[in-house]
């Protein structure tokens, strides 16, 4: 009998709104380690992404049917390759993790200043100092 291990090939997130640290939901703040510095956070109607000085924390919530919350904690050092795509009004961050997991973060309704913020966090994530 053969078994095939199911592995999610890619996960896509779309984010629209920047969130200040004090505006984060309490459950999201609980995952920020005391040794980390909060950098940026973004959300859409149901999901959050929090960027710290060391990790990316994704809160994947689904309220359709059965409510669930999946939390992905991704240390920047586990990103094996990445790309940043600039499009009119949009920025895409594409990641391949050491585990082979693919991740796509889309930031929509972006003006020039917001794109610069995304570029700054991307540069921090890809910094060799981490």
């Amino acid at each position: 009998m053969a078994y095939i291990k199911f592995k999610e090939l890619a996960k896509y997130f779309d984010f629209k709104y920047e969130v200040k640290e004090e505006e984060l939901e309490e459950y999201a703040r609980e995952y920020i380690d005391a040794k980390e510095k909060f950098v940026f956070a973004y959300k859409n109607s149901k999901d959050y992404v929090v960027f710290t000085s060391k990790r990316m924390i994704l809160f994947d919530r689904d309220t359709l049917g059965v409510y669930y919350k999946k939390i992905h904690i991704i240390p920047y050092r586990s990103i094996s390759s990445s790309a940043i795509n600039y499009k009119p009004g949009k920025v895409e961050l594409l990641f391949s993790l050491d585990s082979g997991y693919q991740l796509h973060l889309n930031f929509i309704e972006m003006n020039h200043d917001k794109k610069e913020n995304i570029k700054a966090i991307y540069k921090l994530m890809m910094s060799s100092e981490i």
Side-chain angles (χ1 to χ4, degrees), residues 28-126:
R29 274 192 237 142
E30 292 175 358
Y31 288 89
I32 301 174
D33 192 305
K35 300 173 194 169
E36 296 174 304
K37 180 183 172 199
F38 173 88
V39 180
F40 285 114
Y42 285 87
K43 71 175 190 170
N44 61 24
S45 61
K46 61 184 181 69
D47 300 327
Y48 277 94
V49 63
V50 177
F51 297 100
T52 71
S53 55
K54 297 183 179 191
R55 306 181 294 169
M56 173 178 20
I57 308 166
L58 289 159
F59 299 90
D60 182 10
R61 298 185 309 162
D62 187 6
T63 55
L64 300 174
V66 179
Y67 176 82
Y68 76 87
K69 185 184 335 175
K70 185 189 261 184
I71 300 163
H72 306 268
I73 298 175
I74 302 166
Y76 299 146
R77 69 179 181 277
S78 71
I79 299 171
S80 56
S81 67
S82 65
I84 186 167
N85 293 333
Y86 296 100
K87 296 181 177 180
K90 182 178 182 179
V91 178
E92 298 174 334
L93 296 180
L94 312 169
F95 301 107
S96 293
L97 305 179
D98 290 343
S99 63
Y101 191 75
Q102 304 291 309
L103 183 64
H104 300 250
L105 303 180
N106 300 312
F107 298 87
I108 57 176
E109 296 186 18
M110 295 274 116
N111 61 25
H112 176 74
D113 293 336
K114 291 178 181 178
K115 286 182 179 183
E116 288 297 314
N117 289 343
I118 301 298
K119 181 168 94 176
I121 190 64
Y122 179 73
K123 288 168 65 175
L124 170 72
M125 294 170 75
M126 298 301 106

